[in-house]
Amino acid sequence: MLALSYVRGCSALVAFRTAWRLEHLHFVSGITAAQIDEEVAKLLTLKARLGGDDGKHQFVLKTPKGTRDYNPKQMAIREKVFNIITRCFKRHGAETIDTPVFELKETLTGKYGEDSKLIYDLKDQGGELLSLRYDLTVPFARYLAMNKITNIKRYHIAKVYRRDNPAMTRGRYREFYQCDFDIAGQYDAMIPDAECLKIVHEILSELELGDFRIKVNDRRILDGMFAVCGVPDDKFRTICSTVDKLDKMPWEDVKKEMVNEKGLSEEAADQIGEYVSLQGGMDLAERLLLDPRMSQSKQACAGLSDIKLLFSYMQLFQVTDRVVFDLSLARGLDYYTGVIYEAVLTQAGVAPVSSDAQNGAEESVSVGSVAGGGRYDGLVGMFDPKGRKVPCVGVSIGIERIFSIMEQKAEASAEKVRTTEVQVLVASAQKNLLEERLRLVTELWNAGIKAEVMYKKNPKLLSQLQLCEETGIPLVAILGEQELKDGVVKLRVVATREEVDISRSDLIGEIKRRTSVA
């Protein structure tokens, strides 16, 4: 019997049950032999997944959905980006903190609006309901309230987690890094907010990703606009989440969602449509302050006055060339209370790529937003037992999306990416000089020089020189019997093949001079 041939590959109990079930199906219901064969094939496939006849488990070698590994070349690019961002944060006077990768579930619940469904909940361990952090902002607010901190300028670079549908080609993952900069404290209006925009401008300019725009709006302007357009108070947040989709969907689809799914009247949706199509600068804010409908809302007028003030500070910071006041910008997170902003790349400057492309079709890098943030004055008060508020404003850099562009630009470029920082290889020109090489490399390490030696007793000089060319090591310190007698080391510049004898006592200083590590 076909079933019995399957029996031989399984444990006795499982095999007996399987065979009996197949025979029973054939006897009772008259299932055909072909159908039995099909069921057996399915079982064999399942058995192969679980493990072979030798009892060894067959692993599925893949990363979980929405995650990825990074090879040394990719990590070198990531380090470069992190260094640029960290230098900028420090230049603006920030200190750094860290928080746990998971929080109490109640800490995160109700802070993200409709995006709360993307929070990863963990299995109950020891009576605490926990969730992986969704962003770095809510943990920061919890940290401030818990430690009674009312004033800090901090940055935080760490991984966050979202149970999202990943789009790997657009830098959208389930596990990814965020780079946050926040200013907490009671200060005069719009000065910290303008500095956050200056930071975004500096980082995106230094990364040379291509042309970008920083869109600015204010949650009070949106709420005022919704009110004068006839949106009921209890629908403000849900309509705001729909407007937030305008960068991904055409207005017609957004309007349809407002009317058909959110229950908004067509008249109210059309009035909203008139406003969200507007873009400009300080002049637009001035014009809206005189608008018959908008001027009826104190909230909207307060927001528009602050946008005017923000633009005046941004002129002083010399960033208005890339900033636009855009009424379609909504940012759906519930905790924003004032100014909101988002940086988008308008042209990434990279060739189409097919890696991981959906449906196998080639597509160019499409990353959308690469930074976003805003003012959230009420979030800390949610955690404080006495409800004490700490005004906060911050920005988050969309680092994974930036990596997607940087990696593909590196692929398109002929430029070699160095994956190590080794400055000098200690080499030998003859045999039996391993001990001398190890002595010299130890001297260099002790002096703080990044040095390497081949793990062979008697490597060929050509192999050692080829290693330098392949890995980008700029210098070779060559030892030979004559050099040892003369108390010198032959220092070779890999790029030019220039060689010069340096006394052993001067070698460290010469290497530091040539590699600009004084």
Side-chain angles (χ1 to χ4, degrees), residues 302-323:
L304 289 165
S305 296
D306 275 352
I307 287 288
K308 279 183 63 181
L309 186 58
L310 180 69
F311 267 86
S312 71
Y313 292 144
M314 288 191 295
Q315 284 176 345
L316 296 170
F317 283 151
Q318 301 174 356
V319 296
T320 48
D321 60 318
R322 300 290 178 89
V323 181

Side-chain angles (χ1 to χ4, degrees), residues 206-313:
E206 192 173 349
L207 288 171
E208 297 179 337
L209 300 173
D211 195 24
F212 63 90
R213 287 288 174 273
I214 304 172
K215 299 190 286 187
V216 177
N217 200 1
D218 193 296
R219 210 51 180 270
R220 293 165 297 173
I221 297 172
L222 282 166
D223 286 352
M225 176 183 75
F226 293 150
V228 300
C229 290
V231 178
D233 290 358
D234 61 346
K235 290 187 184 292
F236 276 16
R237 292 285 75 87
T238 187
I239 294 300
C240 190
S241 292
T242 302
V243 171
D244 193 35
K245 298 175 183 176
L246 273 169
D247 61 337
K248 306 177 192 76
M249 295 161 50
W251 166 249
E252 292 74 23
D253 293 342
V254 169
K255 179 185 172 181
K256 195 179 295 181
E257 183 176 311
M258 284 181 181
V259 175
N260 297 346
E261 295 179 30
K262 304 292 176 72
L264 192 65
S265 70
E266 277 213 36
E267 184 186 357
D270 286 337
Q271 288 182 34
I272 290 170
E274 291 175 25
Y275 286 114
V276 297
S277 63
L278 299 175
Q279 291 186 357
M282 191 186 292
D283 58 331
L284 177 58
E286 289 169 344
R287 200 163 77 241
L288 288 170
L289 281 166
L290 301 174
D291 181 86
R293 274 201 299 252
M294 291 290 267
S295 59
Q296 295 171 20
S297 167
K298 286 184 179 178
Q299 254 193 320
C301 289
L304 289 165
S305 296
D306 275 352
I307 287 288
K308 279 183 63 181
L309 186 58
L310 180 69
F311 267 86
S312 71
Y313 292 144

